[in-house]
Amino acid sequence: QVQLVESGGGLAQAGGSLRLSCAASGRSFSRYAMGWFRQAPGKEREFVAAITWSGGRTYYGDSVKGRFTISRDDAKNTVYLQMNSLKPEDTAVYYCAGGATGWSMGALVSPRPYDYWGQGTQVTVSS
């Protein structure tokens, strides 16, 4: 069983930055693709970013491309989401997801392939 625990959320001003972390338990972290999703009140869960098990490929949602960066440190069993140039519309609960072994990169934009989910961390961006 893998547990994912997010941290780093909070309040930021528009134009500011936050870095989210997702720490994973278990020995197979390096084999998993990892992703970040977000959900704002009254909206569906939205894809933010994903990174392959090797870290060699990354993929971003259109709304965050050029502003957010996903990375991973397998030695620490941790995936990060660096968020720059934050906008009020980035306000949401951010969820870390992992697993998706064997799925193509294109499939990682959907929540369906992921096996494990964190509890979420709130990000609020004020204007």
Side-chain angles (χ1 to χ4, degrees):
Q1 186 69 18
V2 175
Q3 289 187 329
L4 303 177
V5 179
E6 302 98 335
S7 61
L11 179 64
Q13 290 189 335
S17 299
L18 285 173
R19 189 176 82 154
L20 304 184
S21 299
C22 173
S25 64
R27 295 176 292 177
S28 301
F29 175 80
S30 61
R31 302 179 186 177
Y32 299 148
M34 300 296 296
W36 287 96
F37 291 77
R38 67 187 182 186
Q39 189 165 18
K43 295 188 177 182
E44 293 187 353
R45 191 164 294 193
E46 177 190 13
F47 169 73
V48 175
I51 187 167
T52 55
W53 65 273
S54 66
R57 295 181 67 189
T58 57
Y59 196 69
Y60 298 93
D62 288 341
S63 61
V64 307
K65 203 171 294 183
R67 299 188 297 122
F68 290 11
T69 302
I70 188 171
S71 62
R72 65 190 298 158
D73 185 338
D74 289 344
K76 296 182 178 180
N77 275 15
T78 301
V79 63
Y80 303 97
L81 184 69
Q82 178 66 45
M83 305 186 296
N84 298 329
S85 302
L86 284 164
K87 304 176 181 180
E89 50 265 43
D90 294 320
T91 295
V93 177
Y94 283 71
Y95 296 92
C96 173
T101 304
W103 290 79
S104 66
M105 190 74 206
L108 297 181
V109 305
S110 166
R112 191 166 66 94
Y114 296 92
D115 303 294
Y116 310 106
W117 290 85
Q119 82 289 349
T121 186
Q122 176 70 46
V123 171
T124 303
V125 183
S126 62
S127 57

